[in-house]
Amino acid sequence: MPDFSNPRPVYLQIADDLRQEVAAGRLEVGERLPARRQLAQRYSVAVETIRRALDELAREGVISTQSTRGTYVVKTPDQPDPSPDLQQLISDVRQLTERMKMLEARVKDLEGR
């Protein structure tokens, strides 16, 4: 929870907290972060504050946001940047996971007919 009396900007406090969660393994590499609105409720701040915190972590390479897919942890703060091949593999696995979920939903729908 951010300390609003602390002179350090709240978005940086939130980025610090999320960074610590990743470093401690409470948020694992490949895990999807909660939606911005959920994070805003969790930290009792505006969504824009969360956006700034996530932007900070993205600049550091700790997280990556894929439009329409969400924001994912891509490395721990003390870990070197993954190679381009590994980054591509992670992206491919995410896409395959999403496709599989859509196919499973479609099969369930067809089975229900």
Side-chain angles (χ1 to χ4, degrees):
M1 195 60 72
D3 177 2
F4 295 100
S5 64
N6 186 329
R8 185 166 170 80
V10 171
Y11 78 95
L12 290 177
Q13 292 180 51
I14 293 169
D16 293 343
D17 186 60
L18 291 170
R19 193 180 302 104
Q20 288 172 355
E21 285 192 31
V22 172
R26 289 186 297 273
L27 287 172
E28 296 180 353
V29 173
E31 186 173 345
R32 185 177 178 178
L33 270 62
R36 289 180 183 182
R37 288 181 200 234
Q38 290 173 314
L39 289 171
Q41 289 175 340
R42 172 178 163 188
Y43 289 103
S44 301
V45 296
V47 174
E48 176 64 17
T49 304
I50 295 298
R51 184 196 61 77
R52 291 182 71 192
L54 296 179
D55 285 351
E56 184 71 21
L57 294 174
R59 269 193 294 283
E60 295 170 12
V62 174
I63 63 169
S64 175
T65 301
Q66 296 181 350
S67 63
T68 72
R69 298 204 190 287
T71 301
Y72 293 84
V73 177
V74 293
K75 73 172 190 134
T76 57
D78 57 345
Q79 183 182 26
D81 288 336
S83 70
D85 288 341
L86 180 57
Q87 289 177 349
Q88 182 62 48
L89 179 61
I90 290 169
S91 177
D92 291 347
V93 168
R94 281 193 198 120
Q95 289 175 4
L96 287 171
T97 301
E98 290 298 319
R99 287 180 182 172
M100 185 178 72
K101 287 178 185 178
M102 290 186 318
L103 286 171
E104 286 174 345
R106 188 162 181 192
V107 166
K108 284 181 184 180
D109 182 50
L110 291 172
E111 288 175 341
R113 290 185 183 178

